Amino acid sequence: MKVLVAAPLHEKALEVLKNAGFEIVYEEYPDEDRLLELVRDADAIIVRSKPKVTRKVIEAAPKLKVIGRAGVGLDNIDLEAAKERGIKVVNSPGASSRSVAELAVGLMFAVARKIAFADRKMREGVWAKKQCMGIELEGKTIGVIGFGRIGYEVAKIANALGMKVLLYDPKPNEERAKEVGGKFVSLEELLKESDVVTLHVPLLDATYHLINEERLKLMKKTAILINAARGAVVDTEALVKALQEGWIYGAGLDVFEEEPLPADHPLTKLDNVVLTPHIGASTEEAQMRAGVQVAEQIVEILKG
């Protein structure tokens, strides 16, 4: 059986496929024309956030039985076309939860203690000790919006840091909340009471611009906003205004409405925001887990 690996995959994941006796064809991010050639005799294909597995690609692969996405989202796979052909689609949703959570907490510290700003000033030859007055996180209130896998991990770390944990989720799980010392409240109460607000929701119609001008104005002037979920959960224009005019203390962002973020974007001109290039899942451990989980599911499906 032939497995087409069309994106970088951890060695351990490739080992899982080899040990199952599959033939592996490896080509990193082929364009659509090349992909159409490669899938002709493939039994399985593995991708990351790219390449796109379109209807055209699926129709060009008569032997295809399973599509694997090493990672979380399935936005680059035509699920309808796969379903029509009875092709299974698998992914690894839990693989990067801890990594994203640790980045969110890292951003909290970076904003609270002005770490990126201080580093920038040092490189400019400026000893900016006075400008780098920060705040502690212990004893502060964190508001976690979206209490799934990642929200849970963030709350667990925040609880260990001695923070008070408020939670908002349309489907509250009280048992899980108890484990992290968390309390479910309304979105409005969470925004008004929290010193740090961190977002861990998927991008849906209901979460598009969930954090808009009106909701930013509910937040404390001393509050920090963290977004390591999806860019469009926050109205960027409103956030820029909030940061410029001091409605909130600062923000830590790993995701943006437009990615890559344009070099001249207003966010890049502000000192009270820390920016990272969508690296939430970019750890050795998350990449290894994502690959291995998908490889194991593919082995199971192809070996029946």
Side-chain angles (χ1 to χ4, degrees):
M1 288 208 183
K2 191 178 275 187
V3 177
L4 169 62
V5 178
L9 202 64
H10 198 277
E11 290 153 32
K12 285 195 175 162
L14 293 170
E15 256 170 55
V16 169
L17 298 169
K18 279 179 193 150
N19 292 343
F22 298 151
E23 181 190 338
I24 296 169
V25 178
Y26 181 82
E27 191 162 323
E28 201 172 301
Y29 301 136
D31 62 22
E32 189 172 54
D33 291 340
R34 179 71 180 131
L35 190 55
L36 291 169
E37 272 174 54
L38 291 167
V39 293
R40 261 183 274 175
D41 56 351
D43 296 275
I45 174 170
I46 296 177
V47 296
R48 301 191 77 83
S49 56
K50 51 186 198 192
K52 282 196 163 95
V53 185
T54 58
R55 178 175 290 275
K56 199 170 165 189
V57 170
I58 289 168
E59 282 167 359
K63 292 174 69 185
L64 194 62
K65 297 172 194 70
V66 55
I67 301 164
R69 154 78 160 106
V72 183
L74 297 169
D75 350 12
N76 56 318
I77 297 166
D78 190 328
L79 299 173
E80 200 49 47
K83 194 177 167 189
E84 284 167 25
R85 281 267 315 274
I87 294 165
K88 290 206 165 76
V89 179
V90 297
N91 66 342
S92 51
S96 60
S97 302
R98 179 69 190 192
S99 293
V100 177
E102 288 189 9
L103 181 72
V105 174
L107 287 169
M108 275 161 46
F109 277 111
V111 179
R113 296 307 304 270
K114 303 188 175 161
I115 295 171
F117 171 75
D119 178 77
R120 244 181 347 262
K121 289 294 170 201
M122 291 293 281
R123 291 166 198 274
E124 289 166 12
V126 180
W127 189 259
K129 193 177 168 83
K130 274 206 178 101
Q131 292 162 268
C132 292
M133 181 63 73
I135 52 173
E136 284 185 358
L137 295 178
E138 189 186 20
K140 301 291 191 296
T141 298
I142 187 171
V144 181
I145 298 177
F147 191 55
R149 291 185 187 89
I150 299 167
Y152 174 83
E153 289 290 336
V154 171
K156 189 166 91 176
I157 298 167
N159 185 41
L161 287 172
M163 298 181 83
K164 184 183 165 196
V165 179
L166 296 180
L167 307 166
Y168 171 74
D169 197 287
K171 296 178 184 158
N173 182 333
E174 297 290 353
E175 278 304 300
R176 301 273 285 166
K178 271 192 202 123
E179 292 170 24
V180 297
K183 175 185 158 199
F184 282 103
V185 293
S186 70
L187 183 55
E188 191 171 319
E189 188 181 335
L190 181 146
L191 292 167
K192 284 179 174 171
E193 299 295 322
S194 299
D195 300 295
V196 178
V197 172
T198 181
L199 301 164
H200 302 289
V201 295
L203 181 58
L204 313 161
D205 288 343
T207 59
Y208 176 79
H209 284 188
L210 179 71
I211 301 300
N212 53 17
E213 186 163 324
E214 185 191 337
R215 291 196 169 120
L216 284 161
K217 283 182 170 162
L218 290 176
M219 290 172 67
K220 295 180 179 182
K221 274 192 155 42
T222 52
I224 293 169
L225 178 70
I226 303 294
N227 188 11
R230 286 289 179 265
V233 173
V234 176
D235 177 346
T236 308
E237 256 176 66
L239 178 61
V240 167
K241 210 165 144 188
L243 291 165
Q244 284 170 340
E245 297 177 12
W247 308 351
I248 62 173
Y249 178 85
L253 309 172
D254 184 47
V255 289
F256 306 91
E257 293 200 67
E258 190 183 345
E259 293 183 11
L261 188 72
D264 58 349
H265 195 281
L267 283 170
T268 63
K269 312 284 185 283
L270 298 167
D271 279 329
N272 56 346
V273 61
V274 176
L275 310 169
T276 53
H278 204 149
I279 54 170
S282 302
T283 63
E284 283 291 329
E285 295 84 352
Q287 295 312 315
M288 190 265 287
R289 284 191 296 260
V292 169
Q293 285 171 18
V294 160
E296 285 172 346
Q297 292 177 82
I298 284 174
V299 170
E300 210 171 294
I301 289 163
L302 290 185
K303 294 217 152 176

